[in-house]
Amino acid sequence: MIGKRLSAAKSTKAEVPAVAAGPKHVAIIMDGNGRWAQKKGKIRTFGHKAGVESVRSVVRFARQNSIESLTLFAFSSENWKRPEEEVSVLMDLFNLVLNSEAKRLHKNGVRLQVIGDVEAFDAKLVEKIRKAEAMTQDNKDLVLNIAANYGGRWDIVNAAKQLAAQVKSGEIDVESISEDAFSAHISTANLPELDLLIRTGGEHRISNFLLWQCAYAELYFTDVLWPDFNEDVFQLAVDDFNVRQRRFGLTGEQVVTANG
């Protein structure tokens, strides 16, 4: 079965759609590159290179279907533990994609953002990231977030540190810290709430990705390996999302009543 789903609870908002109008912010854990390559008798890094075309495909789909933000999990903070050769290839691929794709994104009205602890990367790579972000910063068609050296726990701790510094400096007091204040300091603070999280590759976990943001997201799992993930599979995930009743802590009857 291509899709298997698991819904997270949603917020306490009183007015919510009985049938979703379509996701505005979608995140994808791009899993299965290595297994895809191994099935073809290739080394794991061959799969990472093949997965670039799937990235192009999902960006194209997002632009064509009024998705405002697309967040892709490219390299986790735990991925440094992988074999040195694989990490090196991933870094080279990141460099290559920045060189070849940034202008294409800009031409198509896509704003590129890289979220995560990017300062851990090579200085030249960081410079390329900043240049690509600056070049595309005024684009409006889609925000493409690449999560690189990213971890959900890191994101939460980083936000907590920023709030702690503000308390220490006297800029705010402890009582003013709220969920909204915390959300303003996470890495996706400028984006819509996360609506849909997709994971490819058959695993049913979120692997320390967007932990704060996933609180009320719909989760969709597919057995399709990332290099085989295309616009048709993306459409299946969106179709599944669109028939879900998002209750945000209410009962189904309350949702129906709230929507007339």
Side-chain angles (χ1 to χ4, degrees), residues 206-221:
I206 58 176
S207 296
N208 194 25
F209 184 45
L210 300 179
L211 297 181
W212 178 267
Q213 298 88 331
C214 277
Y216 304 125
E218 299 292 323
L219 308 184
Y220 182 92
F221 301 103

Side-chain angles (χ1 to χ4, degrees), residues 5-234:
R5 59 185 179 174
L6 172 65
S7 299
K10 199 46 172 144
S11 77
T12 56
K13 296 177 182 177
E15 296 184 4
V16 295
V19 178
K24 296 301 180 186
H25 183 182
V26 178
I28 306 177
I29 300 174
M30 305 180 293
D31 193 21
N33 289 330
R35 282 172 286 152
W36 182 88
Q38 289 168 341
K39 284 184 176 183
K40 295 183 178 297
K42 305 286 187 179
I43 60 174
R44 288 177 53 86
T45 53
F46 181 79
H48 295 303
K49 294 174 182 177
V52 173
E53 184 53 43
S54 293
V55 172
R56 295 188 183 111
S57 179
V58 297
V59 170
R60 183 166 56 247
F61 180 92
R63 290 181 60 246
Q64 294 172 349
N65 288 273
S66 302
I67 294 172
E68 296 176 8
S69 300
L70 179 65
T71 301
L72 304 179
F73 203 7
F75 188 84
S76 78
S77 50
E78 289 80 20
N79 285 158
W80 294 108
K81 301 173 186 175
R82 292 193 173 189
E84 185 177 346
E85 180 183 359
E86 183 171 349
V87 172
S88 178
V89 169
L90 285 169
M91 293 299 102
D92 289 343
L93 187 59
F94 197 9
N95 264 295
L96 178 64
V97 169
L98 281 172
N99 288 335
S100 63
E101 300 297 318
K103 290 183 180 179
R104 185 199 301 262
L105 293 173
H106 185 47
K107 181 179 179 180
N108 287 289
V110 178
R111 177 180 178 182
L112 176 67
Q113 294 184 161
V114 179
I115 61 174
D117 187 13
V118 298
E119 299 304 324
F121 293 138
D122 177 84
K124 290 184 178 179
L125 178 56
V126 174
E127 183 180 3
K128 287 182 181 179
I129 290 170
R130 298 311 181 202
K131 285 184 177 179
E133 289 177 327
M135 178 175 63
T136 63
Q137 64 182 351
D138 296 324
N139 294 336
K140 306 295 185 184
D141 288 358
L142 172 72
V143 179
L144 174 62
N145 303 287
I146 302 298
N149 197 27
Y150 176 88
R153 291 179 176 178
W154 167 87
D155 204 357
I156 291 170
V157 169
N158 191 52
K161 286 180 177 179
Q162 293 180 59
L163 286 169
Q166 289 180 324
V167 171
K168 183 177 181 180
S169 68
E171 184 178 345
I172 62 172
D173 55 39
V174 172
E175 287 71 25
S176 68
I177 297 177
S178 62
E179 288 188 17
D180 286 342
F182 195 93
S183 293
H185 290 84
I186 59 173
S187 59
T188 57
N190 63 322
L191 305 178
E193 290 270 345
L194 181 62
D195 293 312
L196 174 63
L197 173 67
I198 300 168
R199 180 169 187 148
T200 68
E203 302 290 356
H204 293 184
R205 55 179 177 268
I206 58 176
S207 296
N208 194 25
F209 184 45
L210 300 179
L211 297 181
W212 178 267
Q213 298 88 331
C214 277
Y216 304 125
E218 299 292 323
L219 308 184
Y220 182 92
F221 301 103
T222 174
D223 292 332
V224 174
L225 302 175
W226 178 247
D228 291 328
F229 191 92
N230 56 29
E231 294 175 54
D232 291 337
V233 185
F234 203 161

Side-chain angles (χ1 to χ4, degrees), residues 229-242:
F229 191 92
N230 56 29
E231 294 175 54
D232 291 337
V233 185
F234 203 161
Q235 185 66 62
L236 288 174
V238 171
D239 289 345
D240 183 82
F241 173 89
N242 286 338

